[in-house]
Amino acid sequence: MKPPKSIQITAIGSYAPPKVVTNYDLSHMVDTSDAWIHSHTGIRERHVADEEESTSNLAYRAIEDLLESYNLKASNIDGIVCATATPDYPGFPSVACMIAEQFGITGPALDVSAGCTGFIYALEVARAMIATGSMKNALVVGAEKLSGVVDWKDRNTCVLFGDGAGCALLEPSEEETGFIDTLLKAEAAGTKALTIHPEKHAIEMDGRAVYSFAVRTIGSTIETLVKRNNLAMEDIDWIVPHQANQRIIQACSKRYGIPEEKFYMNIDRFANTSAASIPLALREMDRAGLLKKGQKILMVGFGAGLTYGGTLLTWTY
Ligand code: ACO
């Protein structure tokens, strides 16, 4: 099979559960305050799913948003790659298979587990599978119900996370545009800094270690992708980072001399939604008319593993 000239993102969707928990609400549950949470993270509120709502339900709604907003039919979708750290079941069925069944999608369906870098990893898995002909096109989903793996009595972690889902449709094209370059990395020596404890079933994190890892790897990923594609920072229209902490982005901007206004941030309203944070941000930018044909967009993520990575692309619509 002749590989397509390029692979493009041609549609985006998202979903956040309607229930909003503010910092003020949390201050009645643990010893914390809006002032502490906002000054340390940039977060004001987060969306939290109902108990019976699962990760695959959130993913389903995000895909519904994509199909309805772009007037597309599920019967035209071939495959699904879903990034999640919070699948409905610990083994099978995967979230991707559950969604495939609900939408009647019969091509490849698989989950990718790369923590908060999951969406970046999943984009590359889907891109490569389309390029080699294993899939005609793909929905790449990032979906998380982190409220189910948070110890709501631990103020160190419960204030940081939220629930949501986002997705992008990847399609081949004969135009020379779309995905330009991807960098995927892991520093497995840091695994213990961020885990879901198997018995407690709750996120445990060495916040400081993750913080410095994030500042270093976001900065180096952006620099590498810009330099090795013979671009300058001015050529990048938007950096869409994993939304974990506003201070991480501010520190990265200062250390690497990247203008802070290039980073799109919405952590104030969603908190950290792990693999869902980048597509949730993209969909918000899409709705606000911030994404325009020809723009250079750089997505960058980091998270459990420890993993990190980035994708550089030209926006095509
Ligand atoms: N409210 C009030 N006080 C708090 C809270 C809270 N919610 N949480 C912690 N504190 C206290 C601590 O107990 C500590 O008190 P002490 O000095 O009496 O011991 C004090 O605040 C300072 O705690 P630190 O952990 O040093 O605070 P820090 O400034 O490092 O901020 C934070 C903590 C926000 C977690 C920061 O380290 C961070 O953002 N790290 C990166 C986290 C991250 O990116 N996680 C993403 C995970 S990857 C993924 O996305 C899944």
Side-chain angles (χ1 to χ4, degrees):
M1 187 209 112
K2 193 168 154 273
K5 280 224 171 76
S6 71
I7 317 285
Q8 311 178 341
I9 290 181
T10 55
I12 329 171
S14 73
Y15 175 74
K19 185 168 140 198
V20 171
V21 175
T22 64
N23 291 347
Y24 180 72
D25 297 331
L26 285 177
S27 72
H28 296 289
M29 294 160 62
V30 288
D31 182 14
T32 191
S33 64
D34 176 54
W36 192 97
I37 301 170
H38 189 253
S39 62
H40 283 72
T41 66
I43 299 165
R44 289 279 189 207
E45 59 189 35
R46 70 286 293 138
H47 292 255
V48 174
D50 284 340
E51 206 142 304
E52 61 278 5
E53 220 172 356
S54 67
T55 296
S56 67
N57 296 148
L58 304 179
Y60 180 92
R61 297 288 203 116
I63 296 170
E64 246 183 4
D65 174 46
L66 181 149
L67 296 174
E68 279 168 19
S69 309
Y70 287 79
N71 207 9
L72 298 168
K73 287 201 176 68
S75 53
N76 295 327
I77 309 287
D78 190 29
I80 299 186
V81 183
C82 180
T84 185
T86 51
D88 301 18
Y89 301 101
F92 287 104
S94 65
V95 172
C97 280
M98 294 178 80
I99 310 167
E101 202 245 324
Q102 290 169 52
F103 283 103
I105 294 169
T106 55
L110 68 149
D111 282 4
V112 166
S113 172
C116 305
T117 325
F119 189 72
I120 304 286
Y121 270 65
L123 281 177
E124 181 58 7
V125 169
R127 191 204 60 76
M129 287 178 79
I130 296 169
T132 56
S134 305
M135 291 199 278
K136 291 191 194 75
N137 59 31
L139 278 173
V140 178
V141 184
E144 303 283 11
K145 187 184 176 183
L146 290 162
S147 59
V149 290
V150 159
D151 176 355
W152 289 99
K153 293 193 189 79
D154 176 13
R155 70 174 183 176
N156 290 295
T157 52
C158 77
V159 303
L160 302 174
F161 300 100
D163 299 333
C167 57
L169 177 62
L170 267 58
E171 295 189 281
S173 165
E174 285 313 305
E175 289 169 51
E176 297 221 6
T177 182
F179 284 90
I180 298 170
D181 194 8
T182 294
L183 177 85
L184 299 178
K185 291 279 197 180
E187 282 184 16
T191 290
K192 288 195 180 132
L194 182 54
T195 53
I196 297 179
H197 192 284
E199 279 97 43
K200 293 185 207 153
H201 205 55
I203 293 174
E204 291 192 335
M205 180 176 71
D206 176 346
R208 293 239 168 124
V210 177
Y211 188 100
S212 41
F213 166 79
V215 175
R216 173 170 55 83
T217 55
I218 292 174
S220 67
T221 301
I222 295 169
E223 271 192 358
T224 304
L225 284 171
V226 168
K227 276 191 193 144
R228 79 180 185 191
N229 290 287
N230 301 316
L231 296 170
M233 204 55 79
E234 301 80 68
D235 298 322
I236 307 299
D237 294 283
W238 286 107
I239 298 170
V240 188
H242 165 49
Q243 314 275 320
N245 186 330
Q246 182 95 37
R247 277 166 61 214
I248 290 176
I249 299 307
Q250 286 162 343
C252 178
S253 149
K254 209 163 151 202
R255 189 186 304 172
Y256 288 85
I258 306 166
E260 206 182 316
E261 55 280 7
K262 271 201 197 292
F263 291 89
Y264 184 81
M265 295 299 294
N266 64 3
I267 191 167
D268 55 329
R269 284 160 290 122
F270 292 93
N272 179 346
T273 55
S274 190
S277 82
I278 292 176
L280 269 169
L282 278 178
R283 179 66 173 126
E284 214 177 55
M285 295 170 79
D286 180 34
R287 281 208 180 98
L290 297 175
L291 298 171
K292 299 194 171 71
K293 190 172 175 164
Q295 283 180 335
K296 295 271 179 296
I297 310 289
L298 202 161
M299 303 176 217
V300 58
F302 66 92
L306 296 171
T307 55
Y308 65 98
T311 293
L312 174 66
L313 52 79
T314 304
W315 203 253
T316 52
Y317 66 95

PDB file of all heavy atoms in Angstrom, residues 94 105 148 202 274 313:
ATOM      1  N   SER A  94     -11.324  -3.416  27.104  1.00  0.00           N
ATOM      2  CA  SER A  94     -10.688  -2.106  27.092  1.00  0.00           C
ATOM      3  C   SER A  94     -11.757  -1.036  26.875  1.00  0.00           C
ATOM      4  O   SER A  94     -12.849  -1.332  26.361  1.00  0.00           O
ATOM      5  CB  SER A  94      -9.661  -2.045  25.968  1.00  0.00           C
ATOM      6  OG  SER A  94     -10.319  -2.144  24.719  1.00  0.00           O
ATOM      7  N   ILE A 105     -18.288   0.206  15.660  1.00  0.00           N
ATOM      8  CA  ILE A 105     -17.018   0.351  14.930  1.00  0.00           C
ATOM      9  C   ILE A 105     -16.306  -1.003  14.941  1.00  0.00           C
ATOM     10  O   ILE A 105     -16.179  -1.637  15.999  1.00  0.00           O
ATOM     11  CB  ILE A 105     -16.156   1.460  15.585  1.00  0.00           C
ATOM     12  CG1 ILE A 105     -16.860   2.811  15.398  1.00  0.00           C
ATOM     13  CG2 ILE A 105     -14.739   1.479  15.017  1.00  0.00           C
ATOM     14  CD1 ILE A 105     -16.273   3.952  16.211  1.00  0.00           C
ATOM     15  N   GLY A 148     -12.444   8.599  40.725  1.00  0.00           N
ATOM     16  CA  GLY A 148     -12.562   7.232  41.237  1.00  0.00           C
ATOM     17  C   GLY A 148     -11.262   6.684  41.807  1.00  0.00           C
ATOM     18  O   GLY A 148     -11.252   5.630  42.448  1.00  0.00           O
ATOM     19  N   ALA A 202      -5.657   4.481  45.040  1.00  0.00           N
ATOM     20  CA  ALA A 202      -5.625   5.951  45.071  1.00  0.00           C
ATOM     21  C   ALA A 202      -4.284   6.447  44.554  1.00  0.00           C
ATOM     22  O   ALA A 202      -3.256   5.776  44.723  1.00  0.00           O
ATOM     23  CB  ALA A 202      -5.855   6.447  46.492  1.00  0.00           C
ATOM     24  N   SER A 274      -5.574  14.375  33.355  1.00  0.00           N
ATOM     25  CA  SER A 274      -4.647  13.366  32.816  1.00  0.00           C
ATOM     26  C   SER A 274      -4.738  13.283  31.286  1.00  0.00           C
ATOM     27  O   SER A 274      -4.635  14.297  30.611  1.00  0.00           O
ATOM     28  CB  SER A 274      -4.913  12.017  33.500  1.00  0.00           C
ATOM     29  OG  SER A 274      -3.911  11.093  33.186  1.00  0.00           O
ATOM     30  N   LEU A 313       2.367  19.755  14.752  1.00  0.00           N
ATOM     31  CA  LEU A 313       1.576  19.589  13.531  1.00  0.00           C
ATOM     32  C   LEU A 313       1.113  20.929  12.974  1.00  0.00           C
ATOM     33  O   LEU A 313       1.142  21.950  13.666  1.00  0.00           O
ATOM     34  CB  LEU A 313       0.376  18.667  13.767  1.00  0.00           C
ATOM     35  CG  LEU A 313      -0.581  18.932  14.912  1.00  0.00           C
ATOM     36  CD1 LEU A 313      -1.554  20.028  14.585  1.00  0.00           C
ATOM     37  CD2 LEU A 313      -1.358  17.671  15.236  1.00  0.00           C
TER      38      LEU A 313
END
